[in-house]
Amino acid sequence: MKRLFIHSCLILVLASCAGTQRLNLASKSDLWNMSHLSEAEYRMANELLSFGLEHEALYTLLDTLKPISSLGFPLSYPLAKSGEQHDGDEDVVDLMSDSTQMAFAELTQWNKVLSSLSNEYFSFHLIPFKNTYRGKRNLQLLVCRRDLMVKLLSEKAEFFGQWGFTSNSDPATVLTTIEYESRNDRYRAYGYLFGYPDHAVDFFVEASISQEQTGNFVERNFFHMPVAVMQDGYFTYALPKDYTPSRSDSAIYRAALSTLQRYEMLKPRYIDSTGRLEAIRLLSDSWNKL
């Protein structure tokens, strides 16, 4: 309930901003069709994109480094089976409870926002995690850059083809399938999807297999690309303990740093009078210039 309360407060805070400072709604461009969103929902969309630009989704929204990126915290709701419920049970969710109705109301808003953000360039998704915890279901917010997904599914057809995926497969189908797959196929798929280089994906999968076989954790180092809020911990991948970063690692780092610097130069032009980032306008203007 605590996590649910936090997400409820987030939506209420976003909605309450309407009375203090209006975003420049006239700046909506044809990048997104948001005419059917309420002002509160528009603010939710803007805050979601703002979070993405300040974190690793920058490299999906304004770069080609990551076919998909996470958009922040997982949403968490008390909707999953409890301990006394079983596989195949029909009555799992109490539709009359206040917590369920609040969860469905929030999820309806998020789905509406994500649908409005999805277009020919991007698709936005709310994907439930396979595993649950104490009756709670977590869902992840993801953004997919469509052209990069097409390229990835084509280049890695020998791997993704095992599920019947082709270059024009629906990203939502790919993401949902992968989330519910076996451990090491899931690791490899997510590694490719999140933009990690082949040698890092190979190492992570091989380390997982080794740990399954021996019970021993494989030590590792981490290679970090900076994001606006922090130098490490977001766009990060694992490498062997004694590994020296290669030219390809350095190339990824330099490309990320160049994009981050470009974003940091753009950002001051899109800060409103209350200090909030007008992410929708920034992205619309940037894509209209491409």
Side-chain angles (χ1 to χ4, degrees), residues 25-36:
L25 301 185
S27 70
K28 298 178 189 176
S29 80
D30 55 7
L31 181 61
W32 287 297
N33 178 16
M34 297 188 177
S35 59
H36 62 292

Side-chain angles (χ1 to χ4, degrees), residues 62-278:
L62 283 179
D63 204 335
T64 59
L65 291 175
K66 291 171 60 62
I68 71 169
S69 286
S70 171
L71 286 165
F73 53 82
L75 302 177
S76 184
Y77 302 102
L79 300 174
K81 289 186 176 73
S82 58
E84 64 272 12
Q85 293 174 319
H86 305 286
D87 182 30
D89 282 356
E90 178 182 5
D91 297 323
V92 176
V93 177
D94 180 3
L95 298 179
M96 300 306 294
S97 72
D98 290 343
S99 62
T100 297
Q101 292 186 26
M102 186 181 299
F104 282 3
E106 289 186 17
L107 288 166
T108 298
Q109 278 192 299
W110 280 117
N111 281 319
K112 186 177 179 182
V113 167
L114 298 180
S115 177
S116 296
L117 287 173
S118 297
N119 56 26
E120 62 181 302
Y121 306 109
F122 303 108
S123 59
F124 289 76
H125 305 280
L126 186 58
I127 306 294
F129 283 109
K130 176 180 179 180
N131 294 327
T132 62
Y133 181 71
R134 294 184 178 179
K136 288 188 176 181
R137 174 75 66 182
N138 290 347
L139 301 94
Q140 54 185 328
L141 291 157
L142 299 170
V143 56
C144 165
R145 182 161 165 167
R146 293 185 187 273
D147 59 340
L148 298 185
M149 179 70 89
V150 169
K151 181 181 178 183
L152 177 65
L153 292 176
S154 177
E155 291 179 345
K156 298 296 184 183
E158 290 182 342
F159 174 71
F160 286 106
Q162 65 182 299
W163 294 283
F165 297 149
T166 60
S167 61
N168 63 344
S169 290
D170 187 333
T173 302
V174 175
L175 293 169
T176 304
T177 300
I178 294 308
E179 174 57 31
Y180 284 75
E181 256 301 342
S182 58
R183 173 175 171 170
N184 295 311
D185 275 346
R186 180 177 180 270
Y187 285 165
R188 181 171 293 280
Y190 273 143
Y192 293 145
L193 288 165
F194 278 100
Y196 305 141
D198 287 359
H199 62 276
V201 176
D202 290 341
F203 166 72
F204 197 85
V205 172
E206 291 164 5
S208 172
I209 293 171
S210 174
Q211 185 173 351
E212 289 177 341
Q213 295 173 344
T214 67
N216 298 321
F217 178 77
V218 178
E219 292 190 358
R220 62 204 63 186
N221 286 327
F222 294 92
F223 191 76
H224 306 278
M225 270 55 65
V227 300
V229 297
M230 192 175 292
Q231 291 297 304
D232 55 48
Y234 286 97
F235 184 12
T236 296
Y237 53 82
L239 295 170
K241 188 71 174 177
D242 58 352
Y243 176 88
T244 299
S246 66
R247 289 184 177 180
S248 62
D249 297 312
S250 297
I252 294 171
Y253 182 89
R254 289 195 299 270
L257 184 61
S258 176
T259 296
L260 177 60
Q261 291 171 340
R262 178 165 59 93
Y263 166 65
E264 294 287 11
M265 291 179 63
L266 278 175
K267 185 165 64 170
R269 307 176 198 172
Y270 296 90
I271 301 297
D272 69 15
S273 61
T274 67
R276 288 193 300 272
L277 175 65
E278 294 188 10

Side-chain angles (χ1 to χ4, degrees), residues 31-79:
L31 181 61
W32 287 297
N33 178 16
M34 297 188 177
S35 59
H36 62 292
L37 291 185
S38 68
E39 186 164 333
E41 291 163 346
Y42 183 86
R43 290 179 182 282
M44 288 173 64
N46 191 76
E47 292 299 323
L48 189 67
L49 293 175
S50 296
F51 185 97
L53 289 172
E54 291 288 295
H55 295 78
E56 71 271 18
L58 171 69
Y59 303 117
T60 299
L61 294 167
L62 283 179
D63 204 335
T64 59
L65 291 175
K66 291 171 60 62
I68 71 169
S69 286
S70 171
L71 286 165
F73 53 82
L75 302 177
S76 184
Y77 302 102
L79 300 174

